[in-house]
Amino acid sequence: ESLALATVGGGLGVGLCVFALPLVSRVDLPIPFPVDLAMPLNGGTLAFASLATLLTGLVFGVAPAWNASRGSYTDALKNRTRRWNLRDALVVGQVAAAMFLLVGAGLLVRSLQAATHIEAGIGAQNLLFVAVDPGLQRYTAARSNQFFEELSRRVSALPGVEHVSTTSRLPLSLLGISIAGKDARRNDDAAMVGMNAYSVSPGLFETLGVPLLNGEDFGKRHENGDPVTVLNETAARKLFGGANPVGMMLGGLDRPYRVIGVVSDFKSSTLGAPASAGMFVLQAQQDSSLAMFGTYIVI
């Protein structure tokens, strides 16, 4: 009897898979990237289902029969007290786990759908990021800059490539270096503002599709000049309030930086977190890398 029930259950399970899996593969998830949900049945899957069906029928048929053969029916009838046992606990656990998975799956899809309506602040599409760390080969800062300049030149010549830039930190990344600076006109420590630090090459904002709101972007002419920086909206507001930051000096760092521009905020860590203050410096002006795990080529 137990094997017959298990066989019927296993057959219904396989039949449900045959009917449902093609439908699942056609589900269009509300997320901005493709996910392949195709799970075709094959010989290995059917062999596992058959083995599981056989073992289920044997175990769940033999165990109760063995337990019943050792008990006294008279004592069982006299004992009217209902006590919880392992079987009851397994049933409760199974129902609880099924509800947990069902609710979790629903919340996941809902969260993915909500995430598609959050503006990340990055307008570019079809971006490719490649991390390279010349420091592992003991490259100096000057040699690393030459390497990335040559690499960017070669990648720019590839068919289909529109923009190439470099950055020490990616948008929507929890990994990176943070620094603190202040309006150079202020001497109090309370003026210090923590910021995410980005060491970038000219053209990064155009590559990412991040609008320049005020001032100018980095250019080749800045590489051999005084240290300059570009701030995002949040950093400019926290450092200088409502004043125009372009031309202002940023202090409290290894050296003073002149602000030459302000760019729009973009999500720096996660989609759910508000934009953090960000400071962008020119890679060619740095004596050491600000990258934790290599510099990213943004294509």
Side-chain angles (χ1 to χ4, degrees):
E1 179 185 356
S2 177
L3 285 173
L5 291 174
T7 301
V8 173
L12 289 175
V14 173
L16 179 62
C17 288
V18 172
F19 172 77
L21 288 181
L23 299 180
V24 172
S25 63
R26 291 197 291 268
V27 171
D28 185 17
L29 293 178
I31 53 179
F33 48 85
V35 176
D36 186 7
L37 297 178
M39 295 173 285
L41 291 176
N42 52 36
T45 305
L46 295 177
F48 174 81
S50 301
L51 182 61
T53 298
L54 177 62
L55 292 178
T56 300
L58 290 175
V59 173
F60 288 92
V62 172
W66 175 261
N67 186 50
S69 67
R70 300 175 59 191
S72 171
Y73 297 107
T74 303
D75 294 340
L77 291 173
K78 290 180 179 180
N79 186 8
R80 298 180 180 180
T81 303
R82 179 71 172 89
R83 295 182 179 179
W84 279 68
N85 53 32
L86 179 59
R87 183 184 306 170
D88 299 320
L90 289 175
V91 172
V92 172
Q94 181 180 6
V95 174
M99 289 299 297
F100 176 80
L101 292 174
L102 182 62
V103 172
L107 291 175
L108 174 63
V109 173
R110 181 179 177 183
S111 298
L112 291 173
Q113 187 173 19
T116 62
H117 300 292
I118 297 177
E119 286 294 334
I122 298 173
Q125 302 291 328
N126 304 320
L127 290 175
L128 175 65
F129 302 96
V130 182
V132 182
D133 189 358
L136 297 177
Q137 303 297 326
R138 302 186 182 278
Y139 275 37
T140 63
R143 191 179 179 191
S144 294
N145 290 335
Q146 293 176 355
F147 167 79
F148 284 115
E149 185 174 352
E150 177 65 15
L151 180 60
S152 298
R153 186 188 65 80
R154 295 190 185 189
V155 173
S156 298
L158 296 176
V161 174
E162 297 179 357
H163 302 284
V164 178
S165 304
T166 62
T167 177
S168 61
R169 179 174 183 157
L170 291 179
L172 292 176
S173 172
L174 298 175
L175 301 175
I177 294 176
S178 297
I179 57 178
K182 64 179 180 179
D183 183 347
R185 299 172 299 178
R186 300 181 59 177
N187 296 322
D188 55 311
D189 293 336
M192 298 294 288
V193 174
M195 298 173 285
N196 293 329
Y198 299 81
S199 177
V200 305
S201 67
L204 174 69
F205 308 119
E206 183 180 9
T207 303
L208 293 178
V210 176
L212 180 68
L213 304 178
N214 194 5
E216 61 178 328
D217 193 358
F218 295 117
K220 294 290 291 184
R221 64 185 182 85
H222 294 117
E223 293 183 355
N224 297 320
D226 295 332
V228 292
T229 181
V230 173
L231 304 176
N232 67 359
E233 290 180 273
T234 300
R237 183 178 64 255
K238 290 183 176 181
L239 287 165
F240 301 101
N244 182 3
V246 176
M248 297 286 192
M249 297 301 295
L250 199 62
L253 300 162
D254 58 334
R255 48 185 170 171
Y257 286 83
R258 179 171 58 89
V259 179
I260 63 171
V262 178
V263 295
S264 177
D265 286 338
F266 58 82
K267 297 290 185 178
S268 56
S269 298
T270 64
L271 283 175
S276 303
M279 173 184 178
F280 303 86
V281 296
L282 198 54
Q283 182 180 2
Q285 290 186 332
Q286 304 306 304
D287 296 329
S288 60
S289 175
L290 295 178
M292 292 185 65
F293 299 102
T295 296
Y296 293 91
I297 312 294
V298 186
I299 305 169

